[in-house]
Amino acid sequence: MKVLLVYFFIVNSIAFILAGYDKYLAVKHKRRISENMLFSITAIGGCVGLLLAMLLFRHKTSKPSFMIKYAGIILLQVVIAFLFFFYYCDAETLAWFMVSTNI
């Protein structure tokens, strides 16, 4: 569990730094980091870091195509997380979850 926490911290830090650096490059009118690189980092777990950078630096927030793709990656990650949760949980855990959330 600690390894996973360290992994997500590192990936989100990289996503945050890349988005901030991309904003810096945009302001200086220099060659930019590709959107595919930002999406790749997001897809491997950097969605929180990229979101924080987008809000803090006001970067890519007014670009609808970027926001739709970003939201699609987040949605896909949520669906995969739910599938893993329901696939790997035993019947007792699932029953407790359904009772506690009134499903």
Side-chain angles (χ1 to χ4, degrees):
M1 188 65 168
K2 289 182 181 179
V3 173
L4 193 61
L5 187 62
V6 170
Y7 168 78
F8 281 118
F9 178 76
I10 291 170
V11 170
N12 281 291
S13 296
I14 291 170
F16 183 84
I17 290 167
L18 280 177
Y21 184 61
D22 187 47
K23 176 65 176 192
Y24 169 79
L25 293 174
V27 169
K28 296 292 183 181
H29 302 290
K30 304 235 176 174
R31 188 160 189 226
R32 312 261 309 273
I33 297 171
S34 72
E35 287 186 358
N36 287 336
M37 173 62 91
L38 295 174
F39 288 137
S40 297
I41 293 293
T42 302
I44 63 170
C47 55
V48 174
L50 185 62
L51 179 65
L52 289 174
M54 286 168 46
L55 295 174
L56 183 67
F57 303 127
R58 296 177 191 218
H59 188 51
K60 302 274 189 192
T61 54
S62 64
K63 194 170 182 186
S65 65
F66 187 88
M67 296 302 290
I68 290 170
K69 292 173 188 172
Y70 178 77
I73 291 172
I74 301 263
L75 181 65
L76 183 64
Q77 288 177 341
V78 168
V79 167
I80 290 171
F82 274 117
L83 291 175
F84 274 129
F85 176 75
F86 284 112
Y87 182 74
Y88 285 111
C89 286
D90 58 353
E92 183 179 325
T93 305
L94 287 175
W96 175 84
F97 178 75
M98 289 182 176
V99 168
S100 67
T101 58
N102 294 324
I103 294 178

